[in-house]
């Protein structure tokens, strides 16, 4: 009798555990609407040459011939074809449609493979004849406000600490950028750092293969990733939503940590130029198709105003088709002069993605006299401030002979009125565990 009761309790317990597991699965599974590609354009045989030409300019990713081959095979299936066969062909077709990049702005195609310099801003700095110009890592090491060495025992490669006034400068840049954006009627939103892989892929970044920029988390029910930029979380915020036309354009901003698995061994990209995580202030807009071009120009002008006011020398670039990635229709980059490296380095960009992300995420708006017409919105994104590279630009451009850094005037209200960053006392040296063990043996 006792054994029977014990067996019943165990069965009840296991059933409860199964139900709890199912409940967790249902709760955590992210339900994303199916992508709706512009098949009127993509599946029209008359458009094959134009689409193929665009693919060739966009690094050759995508196969429009295969798309049409799969579509023809699907349409020619006999009436008695199995549902499994239809589903398999349709899945293959959807996978190939997903790879086709966005169209390209006609003006961009005239640039060829090189960016077009739109304009230069401010003058290059001069420390005087014979003065040594230090690179960011050299400068901050002398000033004792930055640590990147000997961190492998607990944070890994490409990790860093900002300390003292350099950490203050990071926060000053964030507050400076936000103050300008909020004054221009952007809405501030806090976003999650962990996103479903499908959101990231719908925004145009691959999460597959051994070599990509995405960190994946070990989660059983849904492929979750660390977000590479808050653009993805902001786009995901509107996934599967319908916005009233009168509310457009929507302008949002977010401050987030960005996680990138990429690294570089190039000498000019050493230090914090390319790291695994950093802070960024992002701009994002959902708008009507006839508003996205003007919104891109607004984002570009905001970025220019932010950096121009800081006095940094930079160039504004209209990027060629081969540098647009899959989602962008047009893209501007801003590259600041970094004298310690002797090069221009990208500090910001902005992109008009037209309906590329909206069709994959189901971002729509309602229009018409009776609000009955549903249309796919356009999305625009831009970087108001990417902290590590802005720190590089500021410290390398405004370094002084006495190992101090002049703080640009617009940032001083956010730095407690300070006009300079000075050298600090030496911080205690960190030692790797292996080295400590060797010292103990000796």
């Amino acid at each position: 009798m006792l054994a029977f009761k014990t067996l019943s309790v165990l069965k009840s317990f296991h059933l409860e555990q199964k139900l709890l597991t199912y409940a967790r699965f249902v709760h955590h599974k992210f339900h994303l609407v199916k992508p709706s590609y512009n098949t009127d354009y993509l599946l029209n045989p008359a458009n094959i040459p134009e689409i193929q030409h665009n693919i060739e300019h966009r690094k050759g990713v995508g196969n429009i011939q295969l798309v049409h081959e799969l579509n023809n095979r699907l349409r020619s299936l006999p009436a008695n074809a199995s549902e499994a066969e239809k589903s398999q062909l349709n899945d293959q077709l959807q996978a190939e449609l997903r790879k086709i990049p966005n169209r390209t702005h006609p003006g961009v195609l005239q640039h060829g493979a090189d960016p077009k310099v739109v304009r230069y801003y401010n003058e290059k700095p001069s420390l005087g004849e014979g003065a040594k110009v230090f690179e960011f890592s050299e400068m901050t090491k002398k000033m004792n406000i930055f640590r990147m060495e000997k961190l492998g025992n607990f944070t890994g490669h490409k990790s860093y600490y900002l300390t003292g006034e350099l950490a203050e400068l990071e926060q000053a840049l964030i507050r400076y950028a936000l103050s300008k954006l909020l004054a221009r009627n952007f809405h501030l939103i806090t976003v999650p750092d962990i996103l479903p892989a499908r959101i990231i892929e719908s925004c145009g970044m691959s999460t597959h293969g051994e070599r990509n920029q995405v960190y994946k988390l070990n989660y059983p029910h849904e492929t979750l990733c660390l977000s590479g930029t808050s653009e993805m979380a902001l786009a995901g915020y509107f996934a599967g939503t319908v916005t009233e036309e009168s509310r457009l354009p929507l302008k949002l901003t977010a401050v987030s940590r960005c996680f990138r698995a990429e690294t570089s061994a190039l000498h000019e990209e050493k230090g914090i130029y390319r790291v695994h995580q950093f802070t960024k202030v992002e701009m994002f807009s959902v708008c009507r198709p006839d508003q996205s071009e003007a919104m891109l120009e607004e984002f570009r002008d905001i970025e220019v105003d932010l950096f121009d006011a800081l006095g940094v020398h930079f160039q504004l670039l209209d990027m060629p088709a081969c540098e647009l990635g899959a989602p962008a229709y047009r893209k501007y980059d801003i590259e600041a002069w970094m004298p310690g490296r002797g090069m221009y380095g990208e500090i910001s960009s902005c992109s008009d993605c037209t309906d590329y992300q909206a069709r994959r995420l189901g971002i729509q708006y309602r229009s018409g006299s009776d609000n009955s017409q549903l249309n796919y919105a356009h999305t625009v994104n831009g970087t108001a401030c990417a902290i590590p590279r802005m720190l590089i630009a500021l410290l390398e451009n405004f370094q002084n002979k006495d190992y101090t850094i002049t703080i640009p005037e617009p940032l001083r209200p956010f730095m407690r009125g300070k006009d300079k960053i000075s050298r600090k006392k030496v911080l205690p040296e960190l030692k790797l565990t292996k080295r400590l063990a060797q010292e103990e043996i000796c």
Side-chain angles (χ1 to χ4, degrees), residues 3-19:
F4 178 75
K5 286 183 177 179
T6 303
L7 182 62
S8 298
V9 170
L10 285 172
K11 284 183 177 179
S12 176
F13 174 79
H14 289 311
L15 176 61
E16 184 179 350
Q17 292 303 304
K18 286 181 180 179
L19 289 172

Side-chain angles (χ1 to χ4, degrees), residues 135-343:
E135 181 266 331
F136 174 87
S137 298
E138 299 170 329
M139 190 70 185
T140 52
K141 187 174 182 179
K142 290 179 181 294
M143 297 174 70
N144 301 308
I145 54 175
F146 171 75
R147 177 176 285 152
M148 197 173 193
E149 298 175 341
K150 301 173 184 175
L151 301 181
N153 59 329
F154 67 103
T155 59
H157 178 59
K158 287 291 185 180
S159 299
Y160 60 95
Y161 281 84
L162 308 178
T163 63
E165 290 171 326
L166 189 58
E168 283 189 59
L169 187 58
E170 174 183 42
Q171 297 304 315
L173 283 167
I174 294 170
R175 293 167 62 195
Y176 165 67
L178 283 181
S179 69
K180 299 297 184 183
L181 296 178
L182 295 177
R184 300 184 74 136
N185 298 318
F186 278 75
H187 297 281
L188 179 62
I189 183 169
T190 300
V191 298
D193 293 330
I194 299 174
L195 299 174
R198 288 175 294 158
I199 289 288
I200 294 174
E201 290 165 359
S202 296
C203 289
M205 182 178 286
S206 174
T207 64
H208 301 290
E210 294 182 4
R211 294 181 62 85
N212 60 58
Q213 299 182 33
V214 180
Y215 283 109
K216 293 183 181 179
L217 304 181
N218 186 15
Y219 186 72
H221 305 307
E222 174 89 340
T223 302
L224 298 177
C225 306
L226 295 179
S227 176
T229 167
S230 57
E231 168 202 339
M232 300 168 181
L234 291 169
Y237 182 79
F238 292 98
T241 64
V242 178
T243 304
E244 297 300 323
E245 183 179 18
S246 60
R247 295 184 59 207
L248 301 179
L250 295 171
K251 297 191 298 184
L252 297 97
T253 182
V255 182
S256 74
R257 296 293 276 175
C258 305
F259 300 87
R260 308 282 176 89
E262 62 183 339
T263 57
S264 172
L266 296 176
H267 177 73
E268 59 268 24
E269 295 187 353
K270 67 179 181 178
I272 63 170
Y273 187 89
R274 196 176 298 280
V275 288
H276 287 315
Q277 78 179 63
F278 59 94
T279 303
K280 182 156 72 83
V281 183
E282 184 76 2
M283 301 180 288
F284 187 81
S285 177
V286 175
C287 57
R288 297 194 315 260
D290 63 321
Q291 295 173 326
S292 64
E293 187 171 344
M295 189 57 60
L296 176 67
E297 304 301 310
E298 180 178 345
F299 279 22
R300 180 199 65 187
D301 293 344
I302 289 171
E303 293 170 356
V304 166
D305 290 345
L306 284 169
F307 308 134
D308 188 26
L310 296 178
V312 175
H313 171 65
F314 63 90
Q315 58 182 3
L316 173 64
L317 305 175
D318 192 355
M319 301 305 289
C322 60
E323 296 293 337
L324 298 182
Y329 175 69
R330 189 172 201 170
K331 177 172 174 273
Y332 291 103
D333 275 10
I334 290 179
E335 294 184 348
W337 175 245
M338 299 176 177
R341 298 160 193 266
M343 60 172 250

Side-chain angles (χ1 to χ4, degrees), residues 349-366:
S349 68
C350 55
S351 302
D352 179 1
C353 296
T354 62
D355 62 357
Y356 182 94
Q357 296 173 336
R359 284 184 171 276
R360 286 159 173 76
L361 291 169
I363 304 174
Q364 297 178 291
Y365 70 95
R366 199 184 305 276

Side-chain angles (χ1 to χ4, degrees), residues 124-125 133-136 268 273 312-314 334-347 388-397 399:
K124 289 184 179 180
V133 179
F134 292 100
E135 181 266 331
F136 174 87
E268 59 268 24
Y273 187 89
V312 175
H313 171 65
F314 63 90
I334 290 179
E335 294 184 348
W337 175 245
M338 299 176 177
R341 298 160 193 266
M343 60 172 250
Y344 285 98
E346 181 189 340
I347 59 170
R389 295 189 186 178
M390 274 307 301
L391 291 177
I392 292 173
L394 292 178
L395 267 67
E396 291 190 9
N397 278 279
Q399 58 184 285

Side-chain angles (χ1 to χ4, degrees), residues 397-414:
N397 278 279
F398 300 125
Q399 58 184 285
N400 302 309
K401 293 180 181 180
D402 59 354
Y403 302 127
T404 63
I405 305 295
T406 300
I407 300 171
E409 193 168 334
L411 297 178
R412 293 174 189 175
F414 308 104

